[in-house]
Amino acid sequence: MSSFLGRANLSRGLRNNNPGNLVITSDKWQGKIYKPKNTDARFEQFIEIKYGIRAMLRDVINDILKGKDTVRKVISEYAPAFENNTNAYVNAVSEKLGVNPDAKITVIDSKFMLLLARAIISHENGQKDGDLIKDSDIKSAISILGKFTVPSKIKVDNDVITSDYLLIPVIIFFYTVLTVAL
């Protein structure tokens, strides 16, 4: 369980377990801390970092599936110009994803989500604080995303391959070798 809740020395996004800095809404996010326990007047708070990452990814992916299917379109919706330097945000995310800002997003898989989450988290919280979030936290969030209503032009796959799955065949191999040798 990873949580940065209330750690005053960290960026607001991390200390709220909300690294995407989602503003408070009526959405019933998994792991959401509701008023009066939420101590931030403007931004959502979550009991664990994975729930904040999950909410961020659900929000962004839903926007992509509704037709905001380029980095420029999705980040312009996610981080509007009245609050952000949206062009800088678009460029930073595009660079980290290795895509043109106006290229159509056609596949949303765990690799894309991991890179997208890292890009948003770094931009919202700074690289130093963003690096405190482990890949395992992002993968945990991806594994609990749930299902989406997907238009046929986009493929969504949030299956996450973790190192645990890769260890099982190795363990079985060594167990077999030891059993036969003894």
Side-chain angles (χ1 to χ4, degrees):
M1 177 168 142
S2 292
S3 177
F4 301 97
L5 195 61
R7 289 182 49 189
N9 61 321
L10 298 176
S11 61
R12 191 176 196 177
L14 263 62
R15 69 177 178 258
N16 285 334
N17 283 332
N18 177 8
N21 286 318
L22 297 174
V23 295
I24 293 174
T25 65
S26 61
D27 291 337
K28 294 177 175 29
W29 298 114
Q30 284 183 19
K32 177 177 178 168
I33 297 174
Y34 292 93
K35 290 287 183 186
K37 291 184 179 181
N38 180 330
T39 58
D40 191 304
R42 182 157 186 243
F43 292 99
E44 298 281 17
Q45 291 181 324
F46 295 91
I47 58 173
E48 291 180 50
I49 198 72
K50 72 178 179 182
Y51 293 113
I53 297 167
R54 177 195 181 275
M56 173 189 72
L57 286 171
R58 286 229 33 120
D59 184 53
V60 171
I61 293 168
N62 280 327
D63 286 343
I64 293 169
L65 298 176
K66 290 178 185 173
K68 295 182 176 53
D69 57 357
T70 68
V71 171
R72 185 177 314 283
K73 289 178 185 176
V74 77
I75 295 301
S76 294
E77 171 79 14
Y78 187 80
F82 72 88
E83 292 182 318
N84 300 275
N85 180 343
T86 305
N87 286 330
Y89 207 144
V90 166
N91 292 334
V93 171
S94 295
E95 184 179 319
K96 290 202 181 204
L97 289 173
V99 299
N100 180 298
D102 298 308
K104 295 277 186 204
I105 298 167
T106 57
V107 175
I108 303 170
D109 59 11
S110 57
K111 179 182 176 188
F112 171 82
M113 287 184 258
L114 181 69
L115 292 172
L116 179 63
R118 278 264 168 243
I120 292 172
I121 290 166
S122 292
H123 197 83
E124 291 284 336
N125 301 280
Q127 190 69 44
K128 182 179 169 227
D129 280 4
D131 285 347
L132 295 174
I133 295 176
K134 301 176 191 123
D135 281 355
S136 60
D137 294 320
I138 298 171
K139 289 176 181 178
S140 182
I142 292 169
S143 73
I144 61 172
L145 273 174
K147 300 293 179 198
F148 293 89
T149 303
V150 182
S152 60
K153 62 183 178 181
I154 297 178
K155 180 181 182 286
V156 177
D157 179 9
N158 60 332
D159 288 338
V160 179
I161 297 175
T162 64
S163 59
D164 297 342
Y165 294 119
L166 299 175
L167 285 176
I168 292 171
V170 173
I171 292 169
I172 292 171
F173 170 77
F174 282 113
Y175 175 78
T176 306
V177 169
L178 288 173
T179 314
V180 172
L182 298 177

